Amino acid sequence: MLQRILIVDDDPHIRELLAFALAKAGYDCREAGDGEAALAAVAASAPDLVVLDINMPRLNGLDVCRRLRAQGELPVLFLSSRDDEVDRIVGIELGADDYVVKPFSPREVVARVGAILKRARPRAEDAPVPVQTGRLRLDREGWAALVDGRDAGLTATEFQLLAVLAAAPAKVFTRDEIIDRLHGPGFAVTDRTIDSHIRHIRRKCATLGLDDAIETRAGIGYRLGPCGAAR
């Protein structure tokens, strides 16, 4: 079955442009012109990913993302204007997987949609072995980060970032190295986006009593923390 993408934007030209590009790439596309219509579309037939504009009438994209996150971990790709840096950061804090700045290339949107869905869909043939560090367990088949057996509720991007650090627990990763591992060399993601994902992972783990999931090395980057176990 084709993976279903819900395109949410109050500009019909942008919806048409993205629907054409995504359909050409092999996706089944649905459209919504505002936030309320988007929530109704998700409730009627859950998509595999939502492409979500931030500035919309009748419930903006941030509020839509907040409500979607309250229901589950549906992947979200934000569309934002160049002057909406604060909104983009807030969107990442809410759990969005990525964002694209307007004006954008439809090819870039298709590439980012594909990258998010790939991260969210583990390959069964890989039969990944769970990783255990202290109180943290990464179930790579189920794409779940478990603290004392309780799911931290990470998004696909957050889980993949944590898995990058866990794959080499003694290594301090620069932000550029993390971006390369997540998206591939040359992918346009800012350092601030990585920092936002890190904060989100820390907050979710901290709600389960794990305050040392990720360590910061000033001026360098991040590495996996002791996760409740002495180093």
Side-chain angles (χ1 to χ4, degrees):
M1 295 180 61
L2 297 180
Q3 290 179 291
R4 182 175 298 165
I5 310 298
L6 176 62
I7 303 167
V8 187
D9 197 297
D10 59 330
D11 186 333
H13 173 71
I14 289 178
R15 296 200 307 270
E16 180 181 358
L17 183 68
L18 290 179
F20 176 81
L22 289 164
K24 188 175 180 181
Y27 297 105
D28 178 19
C29 296
R30 300 288 188 272
E31 299 179 24
D34 59 59
E36 291 182 0
L39 292 175
V42 171
S45 181
D48 295 290
L49 181 145
V50 179
V51 178
L52 182 60
D53 186 32
I54 289 180
N55 292 317
M56 292 186 299
R58 301 180 63 198
L59 207 64
N60 65 37
L62 296 176
D63 288 333
V64 172
C65 184
R66 187 175 289 108
R67 296 193 187 187
L68 292 177
R69 281 291 162 263
Q71 300 169 9
E73 298 301 329
L74 176 64
V76 173
L77 171 65
F78 267 130
L79 303 178
S80 68
S81 301
R82 288 194 181 278
D83 58 353
D84 285 336
E85 182 179 13
V86 172
D87 283 346
R88 294 200 299 271
I89 298 304
V90 172
I92 295 296
E93 291 288 350
L94 288 174
D97 293 272
D98 206 347
Y99 66 83
V100 174
V101 177
K102 296 179 180 179
F104 52 77
S105 161
R107 287 185 179 182
E108 181 183 7
V109 175
V110 171
R112 290 183 184 251
V113 165
I116 293 171
L117 290 173
K118 184 178 180 180
R119 294 196 299 270
R121 186 180 64 251
R123 297 185 301 170
E125 64 269 21
D126 289 343
V129 177
V131 174
Q132 183 81 42
T133 301
R135 297 166 54 207
L136 176 68
R137 177 182 173 88
L138 297 184
D139 178 2
R140 293 188 292 173
E141 263 194 323
W143 282 59
L146 308 173
V147 178
D148 300 330
R150 295 177 295 169
D151 192 345
L154 303 187
T155 66
T157 300
E158 292 162 1
F159 178 88
Q160 186 70 0
L161 194 161
L162 191 56
V164 166
L165 302 183
K171 175 178 171 58
V172 179
F173 287 86
T174 67
R175 292 168 179 82
D176 286 342
E177 287 175 327
I178 292 173
I179 292 170
D180 288 349
R181 298 290 182 96
L182 289 177
H183 303 288
F187 205 80
V189 175
T190 67
D191 290 353
R192 187 172 293 182
T193 298
I194 296 299
D195 293 343
S196 294
H197 285 313
I198 293 288
R199 287 195 299 272
H200 218 193
I201 294 168
R202 283 173 167 160
R203 179 181 59 79
K204 290 182 177 181
C205 289
T207 61
L208 298 179
L210 187 65
D211 297 321
D212 58 354
I214 298 175
E215 291 183 351
T216 299
R217 293 295 299 273
I220 304 175
Y222 302 102
R223 72 172 179 179
L224 189 71
C227 300
R231 281 194 182 269

